[in-house]
Amino acid sequence: MASLAETAAVADVKTRKHLALRIDPLRLPVYAWLALIVLLPNLLLIAVSFLSAANGRLNFVFSLGNYARLLGAAGFWRLLQATLEFSLIASLCGALIAYPMAYYVGRVASRNKALLTILVLVPLWISLLMRVFSWRLILGQNGVLNSFLVASGLLEQPSAAFLYTATSVVLTFTYVSIPFVFISCLSAFEKIPAALIEASEDSGASKFQTFCFVIWPLTRRSLAIGFSLAFLVTVGDYVTPSMVGGMSGTTLGVLISSQFGMANNWPYGAALSIALILCVSVILAIVMRLCPARGVFSGDEGGTSRAGSPAATPPTGARLSGALFYGLAITFLYAPLLLMVLFSLNDSTLQSFPLQGFTWRWYETLAGNAGLVAAAQRSVIVAVCVVLASTVVGTGFALTLHYRRGPGSQVIELLLALPLAMPAVVLGIVMVLGTELIGVPSGLPRTVVGQASFIMPVTMLLVLTRLRRLDPSLMEASRDLGAGRIMSFVHVVLPLIRGAVISGALLGLTLSADDVMVTLFLAGPSQTLPIWVFNQMRFGFTPSVNAVFTILGAIALASVVLSQIVARLRATPPLNPEHG
Amino acid sequence: MRQASDGPVLRLDHVSKTYPGSNKPALDSVSFEVAAGEFFSILGPSGSGKTTILRTIAGFERPDRGRVLMTGREVTQVPPNKRDVRTVFQSYALFPHLTVAENVQYPLRMQGMSRPERARKSVEALEHVAMGGFAARLPHQLSGGQRQRVALARAIVSRPPLLLLDEPLGALDLRLRQQMQHTLVSLQKELGIAFVYVTHDQGEALSMSDRVLVMRGGRIAQLGTPLELYYKPQSEFVAEFVGNSNMLPVQFEPDRDSYIATIQGARLPEMRSNLAGQGRIAIRYGDVKLVADDGGERRAGELAGVVENVLFLGTNFEVDVRCGELRIMSSVPASHAPGFANGQTVKVAFDLSGARLFHG
């Protein structure tokens, strides 16, 4: 009898083991997305790089020819060097501007911090095309800079030396970099407990010593992350160089995109992409190595400083120079945008001063433009589809990853977010390959899949961050009070993550409406609004473009304001801090 | 740096401070002195201004009026990093990116001391707080009590004449807190550093200090030795805050040529006054005597009461007795025999020798 019981017990253990090895059915969608949207397209990229092309057709024979070709081409090395140089210099300049700004907003400014933060971040919501285009207004041959220099007598005639140069690419990239570095550094500055600064001063350290030995070590990793973000965004940008770079401002991204366009040599383009990714990875690894993070806040350094204490309010001199620097940087960020709004209302086909008088006609011509209206409609359809899919899937994945942690959850999360960390030009071609293989019909469906590949992770990460900040005992409390899993989710978790879900959807909306880099590869003849505008600018220019951008900018601004209002409404009132 | 060991190491001279946006002063003309090597505590409830005093001494707050002097030199406008004083922060404020040894060496490094000298001194300071084996750890790898010790080591490593401690034991559990009290006192005597110790725990203040400053609403309520505060409180506030005292309303009624105190109609023959009217007396829990009601006659000055609640505190029982509308707390020495039970009727007597009377 005893042996029978033993056998039963052994069998029981065996079945349990068997059960534990089975895949959690709720995680199946996660695996499916991972395989179809992330892994397969990327593997395809690697595979294609070992093929060759003839007359626009793939030749399915393994070959190292593409790599041999690019390694031997002087043009490749020159372009690679230029590409990395542009992005490195621009990210560095962006860091030099944004780091002090973040220091000012995070630790020096005592009032209007939220406003000061939003002002720097608003450009992130505004179409990249618009920001780049606005620099053309300034640098172009009929641009503001030239008309100013000619009018003031410094130049005899307008110079072509400003636009279509390497410098204009670096300048525009710097402009694009600032918000990324800022957002990354700001929280690092804010996170440093006031008590640490006081402890340093109490130990006899001067302001400068405190910066070197406390503030810098505690913020350098965030600076490195911001720098890397800016570097990634600019290095994968093939639109900016093609708009402001001219011949000397061409980058590897432009070459890669042309392999999937006019040159029509996918294998060579794939090999170039892989070379670019490898170089970028090496550079980012070096940057992270240069700025090591050490130690963890244990949570009890605490001690909020009171208003009016010297630690909280630095001397007036520091405050004034900080405000001045911040003001200059903000002017740099906004002047081009405002200029564009101004020209959209200017009654002249020339983009130069003096202004010719007020007009609505550029807006009126827009309404009658059938191509524009159709493109706008397509943009709306794409945005709605992408946002719906990304929000549902992203929230679902976040919940799955948070509440159903299993083996490899962390790796899965990183892989899902991989499209965010890829240079845009590479993501674009990866999605071309992926959608081609799965057989997604070209046009709008492809655009939707392509955009969802990088918008879903944004939504997912936002919700996941929120979920991780929730007090885990809230769920336990709810179940302790008699609510089941589903009721607990509906009444406790959902209301708490709603803000993150909504802001993820709004962010997704602007990302979708603004995207050029990925969509340009996928849209084909079904152009979305940014693609239509981009093509307009290539074929010729009318001031109507200013009007389109002004409207787009206004919509972006409205969605920022909306998301801020949502955040305010959702924010719980802060607890009264206890004063000893 | 130490000089003139006979003069006070710290003097506050009519220091006042009002935070911007507040109409109530955080400090209202506060003056006191701390002698070299003295263990000086500042005691008070939250919001009484004790932390503001500490931050003013450290240099993190500038007073609106008044002066701060250290070893005779005025430092009112001197920034924190130029003052010869160190702080042990309530939150410890250890630098998360520096090891224990680097944290302790931090003030020496700021002075520009050479590396071997720094290393030697930090080892010495860590030995003082029994943290010698932890030099290479990062703060997040330590327990709360260990972080506390490292913070202490960092503060004493440069041997300042004055050390400020801001409720340093607040985050520790009871057992650790008692251990640290002993560590602190012996360390203070050994190093001869004057301590200014801020706390809201009267037990801590009384047990460790040479003198205690009691703060209330930004003003000094009383300054004295622990014994003075305990036995001669100058106000109801101090009596209640420091002494575990019952505040009982008394009525003075004419009796012969003066007035005699009554509580709930019961006369207290040992308490007389030249003034008629209302008053309050502070009677410490230990001076309230309880006798089981045997049905016999109550003597003069005794009240009848019912036991509401008994707490066993180890060395004694704290008994909550209801006498009519009054609630009186009594502290009864613990013994093996069961003491008082809930609902039991008792006779309440007062030892008025230590009682303080406040008219008004």
Side-chain angles (χ1 to χ4, degrees):
Chain A
M1 289 305 277
S3 69
L4 198 69
E6 263 172 37
T7 346
V10 170
D12 190 41
V13 168
K14 271 189 181 163
T15 40
R16 264 195 231 151
K17 261 193 181 165
H18 180 66
L19 281 176
L21 280 176
R22 266 173 51 182
I23 292 168
D24 183 347
L26 281 175
R27 290 173 59 139
L28 277 179
V30 178
Y31 295 134
W33 181 287
L34 199 61
L36 287 179
I37 308 286
V38 183
L39 296 182
L40 189 68
N42 279 295
L43 292 176
L44 216 54
L45 178 76
I46 298 174
V48 168
S49 75
F50 291 109
L51 301 178
S52 60
N55 304 324
R57 291 180 157 271
L58 290 183
N59 192 357
F60 290 91
V61 178
F62 177 85
S63 110
L64 290 169
N66 298 309
Y67 290 99
R69 177 180 162 194
L70 66 87
L71 290 177
F76 165 76
W77 291 108
R78 209 182 51 239
L79 265 191
L80 179 68
Q81 190 198 344
T83 307
L84 299 179
E85 229 174 62
F86 293 161
S87 285
L88 278 177
I89 296 175
S91 308
L92 195 67
C93 293
L96 286 176
I97 296 172
Y99 187 77
M101 284 175 91
Y103 184 90
Y104 172 73
V105 175
R107 294 222 75 90
V108 181
S110 44
R111 276 175 302 164
N112 298 329
K113 270 187 164 185
L115 180 69
L116 295 178
T117 307
I118 290 291
L119 271 180
V120 187
L121 299 187
V122 159
L124 280 182
W125 271 275
I126 287 177
S127 164
L128 177 80
L129 266 187
M130 172 169 174
R131 285 181 279 157
V132 175
F133 178 72
S134 62
W135 276 103
R136 274 168 66 134
L137 289 185
I138 295 178
L139 301 173
Q141 198 148 17
N142 296 320
V144 175
L145 187 60
N146 267 321
S147 49
F148 169 76
L149 291 177
V150 172
S152 62
L154 286 171
L155 280 183
E156 293 276 316
Q157 55 191 35
S159 159
F162 302 124
L163 194 59
Y164 303 126
T165 60
T167 319
S168 59
V169 174
V170 170
L171 182 70
T172 315
F173 277 173
T174 302
Y175 180 79
V176 171
S177 299
I178 291 173
F180 289 105
V181 183
F182 178 84
I183 195 171
S184 174
C185 295
L186 179 67
S187 67
F189 279 114
E190 284 178 335
K191 234 173 26 190
I192 302 176
L196 285 189
I197 311 291
E198 291 183 354
S200 173
E201 287 178 16
D202 189 73
S203 299
S206 65
K207 298 266 179 214
F208 180 68
Q209 283 173 314
T210 300
F211 177 81
C212 292
F213 295 113
V214 178
I215 295 176
W216 168 248
L218 290 175
T219 52
R220 64 188 171 200
R221 177 40 73 92
S222 298
L223 178 66
I225 291 172
F227 178 90
S228 306
L229 268 177
F231 181 73
L232 268 173
V233 165
T234 53
V235 89
D237 180 352
Y238 61 94
V239 170
T240 304
S242 70
M243 279 175 75
V244 301
M247 275 311 286
S248 59
T250 305
T251 64
L252 206 53
V254 178
L255 181 63
I256 293 175
S257 73
S258 74
Q259 299 305 314
F260 284 74
M262 287 198 291
N264 204 2
N265 187 342
W266 290 15
Y268 188 53
L272 288 172
S273 308
I274 286 169
L276 179 64
I277 288 186
L278 288 177
C279 291
V280 168
S281 310
V282 169
I283 288 179
L284 294 190
I286 294 173
V287 169
M288 289 298 164
R289 193 61 187 274
L290 285 177
C291 297
R294 195 177 175 209
V296 190
F297 286 116
S298 41
D300 58 7
E301 293 89 353
T304 48
S305 66
R306 294 141 200 266
S309 69
T313 0
T316 329
R319 270 211 318 275
L320 279 182
S321 51
L324 188 70
F325 184 84
Y326 177 87
L328 282 175
I330 285 291
T331 313
F332 177 62
L333 284 180
Y334 281 87
L337 301 178
L338 292 178
L339 212 58
M340 171 173 290
V341 175
L342 205 60
F343 284 137
S344 80
L345 299 167
N346 183 27
D347 196 1
S348 160
T349 48
L350 286 181
Q351 311 293 303
S352 60
F353 287 103
L355 298 174
Q356 299 298 318
F358 179 84
T359 179
W360 284 114
R361 70 177 156 126
W362 307 121
Y363 291 87
E364 282 155 11
T365 55
L366 289 183
N369 190 322
L372 171 87
V373 174
Q377 278 170 348
R378 276 186 222 110
S379 263
V380 171
I381 294 170
V382 168
V384 168
C385 293
V386 169
V387 167
L388 268 181
S390 300
T391 309
V392 172
V393 173
T395 309
F397 283 10
L399 289 168
T400 312
L401 288 175
H402 186 68
Y403 287 111
R404 298 232 154 199
R405 282 199 82 79
S409 275
Q410 220 167 357
V411 178
I412 291 173
E413 191 187 321
L414 280 177
L415 284 176
L416 283 176
L418 185 68
L420 286 177
M422 281 206 284
V425 61
V426 180
L427 179 65
I429 62 174
V430 161
M431 291 322 291
V432 170
L433 294 170
T435 50
E436 184 83 33
L437 187 81
I438 325 172
V440 179
S442 71
L444 293 190
R446 262 189 202 195
T447 308
V448 170
V449 173
Q451 291 191 354
S453 75
F454 67 93
I455 293 178
M456 190 290 292
V458 172
T459 325
M460 182 189 82
L461 290 179
L462 276 174
V463 176
L464 208 49
T465 314
R466 181 76 187 108
L467 281 171
R468 291 198 173 132
R469 278 205 210 124
L470 290 186
D471 182 352
S473 51
L474 285 179
M475 197 67 174
E476 287 168 7
S478 166
R479 304 205 59 196
D480 184 69
L481 294 168
R485 272 182 200 280
I486 294 177
M487 291 304 270
S488 300
F489 175 73
V490 171
H491 290 285
V492 179
V493 177
L494 206 54
L496 287 170
I497 63 172
R498 191 163 45 196
V501 173
I502 293 174
S503 56
L506 285 170
L507 188 58
L509 202 66
T510 58
L511 284 175
S512 164
D514 287 346
D515 184 65
V516 186
M517 311 275 189
V518 173
T519 311
L520 201 53
F521 283 109
L522 301 168
S526 341
Q527 300 168 356
T528 57
L529 190 54
I531 307 297
W532 183 84
V533 175
F534 182 58
N535 285 329
Q536 291 298 304
M537 290 187 306
R538 281 202 286 195
F539 298 132
F541 169 80
T542 66
S544 288
V545 171
N546 288 328
V548 177
F549 278 134
T550 304
I551 293 172
L552 282 180
I555 294 173
L557 210 60
S559 81
V560 177
V561 171
L562 194 66
S563 69
Q564 283 302 305
I565 291 173
V566 170
R568 285 278 160 81
L569 289 180
R570 292 271 145 248
T572 44
L575 295 171
N576 283 331
E578 284 210 9
H579 289 296
Chain B
M1 290 303 280
R2 221 162 310 168
Q3 44 167 315
S5 62
D6 44 337
V9 67
L10 171 74
R11 188 154 81 86
L12 263 68
D13 183 14
H14 295 287
V15 168
S16 296
K17 168 86 186 172
T18 305
Y19 286 109
S22 163
N23 46 15
K24 205 175 128 286
L27 292 182
D28 190 358
S29 196
V30 171
S31 303
F32 62 87
E33 285 179 359
V34 177
E38 186 179 26
F39 199 123
F40 186 92
S41 288
I42 303 176
L43 177 66
S46 325
S48 60
K50 54 190 194 305
T51 298
T52 305
I53 294 183
L54 207 69
R55 294 175 58 82
T56 306
I57 302 170
F60 299 124
E61 308 285 357
R62 299 271 158 86
D64 300 334
R65 281 186 308 282
R67 299 187 306 155
V68 180
L69 293 96
M70 285 181 189
T71 53
R73 186 170 71 99
E74 172 157 359
V75 295
T76 318
Q77 301 299 327
V78 174
N81 55 321
K82 298 276 196 304
R83 296 192 184 195
D84 206 6
V85 49
R86 294 280 175 272
T87 306
V88 177
F89 290 81
Q90 185 171 15
S91 56
Y92 316 144
L94 295 179
F95 302 118
H97 59 294
L98 301 180
T99 62
V100 165
E102 286 166 340
N103 260 288
V104 174
Q105 290 177 18
Y106 192 86
L108 307 175
R109 193 171 166 193
M110 294 306 120
Q111 289 170 12
M113 188 181 282
S114 72
R115 196 179 286 265
E117 182 79 358
R118 256 160 39 194
R120 196 180 56 73
K121 292 218 172 194
S122 80
V123 167
E124 196 180 305
L126 283 170
E127 293 296 340
H128 264 304
V129 294
M131 286 292 292
F134 297 86
R137 300 262 187 107
L138 286 169
H140 72 272
Q141 298 164 324
L142 303 178
S143 72
Q146 291 169 334
R147 274 182 228 154
Q148 164 73 79
R149 287 167 184 272
V150 175
L152 196 58
R154 183 176 69 182
I156 59 168
V157 71
S158 55
R159 297 296 167 96
L162 180 63
L163 188 64
L164 309 175
L165 302 100
D166 185 6
E167 309 214 18
L169 309 184
L172 302 182
D173 62 49
L174 181 66
R175 213 182 131 62
L176 217 50
R177 201 152 64 210
Q178 287 166 342
Q179 282 178 10
M180 277 307 286
Q181 287 186 19
H182 288 286
T183 309
L184 280 176
V185 171
S186 54
L187 194 67
Q188 193 258 343
K189 296 300 170 217
E190 189 184 331
L191 300 175
I193 297 176
F195 276 21
V196 173
Y197 186 97
V198 159
T199 178
H200 64 263
D201 182 321
Q202 37 100 356
E204 246 173 59
L206 296 187
S207 59
M208 295 194 284
S209 319
D210 296 318
R211 283 191 305 154
V212 180
L213 175 73
V214 185
M215 290 294 294
R216 183 194 194 189
R219 290 164 178 271
I220 294 180
Q222 192 170 346
L223 171 59
T225 65
L227 288 179
E228 283 167 354
L229 292 176
Y230 197 73
Y231 289 109
K232 290 177 188 155
Q234 286 165 2
S235 63
E236 286 180 51
F237 173 78
V238 175
E240 216 166 2
F241 198 76
V242 173
N244 278 347
S245 293
N246 293 292
M247 299 303 302
L248 303 175
V250 290
Q251 184 80 35
F252 285 95
E253 291 172 355
D255 179 68
R256 293 196 298 264
D257 52 344
S258 68
Y259 298 88
I260 185 165
T262 66
I263 296 182
Q264 302 236 309
R267 292 191 163 207
L268 303 177
E270 291 162 56
M271 182 154 285
R272 291 183 159 274
S273 168
N274 309 326
L275 296 168
Q278 304 278 344
R280 286 160 76 84
I281 52 170
I283 302 176
R284 273 184 304 279
Y285 297 172
D287 290 341
V288 177
K289 307 293 180 204
L290 299 184
V291 185
D293 192 357
D294 50 5
E297 192 68 5
R298 272 187 285 137
R299 278 176 291 173
E302 281 187 353
L303 300 178
V306 180
V307 173
E308 286 275 315
N309 197 8
V310 182
L311 294 184
F312 176 53
L313 300 182
T315 54
N316 60 310
F317 289 105
E318 211 165 85
V319 186
D320 182 2
V321 183
R322 185 161 52 80
C323 300
E325 285 155 19
L326 288 179
R327 299 293 287 261
I328 300 174
M329 299 290 281
S330 167
S331 177
V332 180
S335 60
H336 288 290
F340 297 92
N342 291 0
Q344 186 181 355
T345 54
V346 289
K347 287 191 278 191
V348 181
F350 303 108
D351 175 359
L352 292 175
S353 58
R356 302 284 291 180
L357 170 65
F358 302 101
H359 267 290

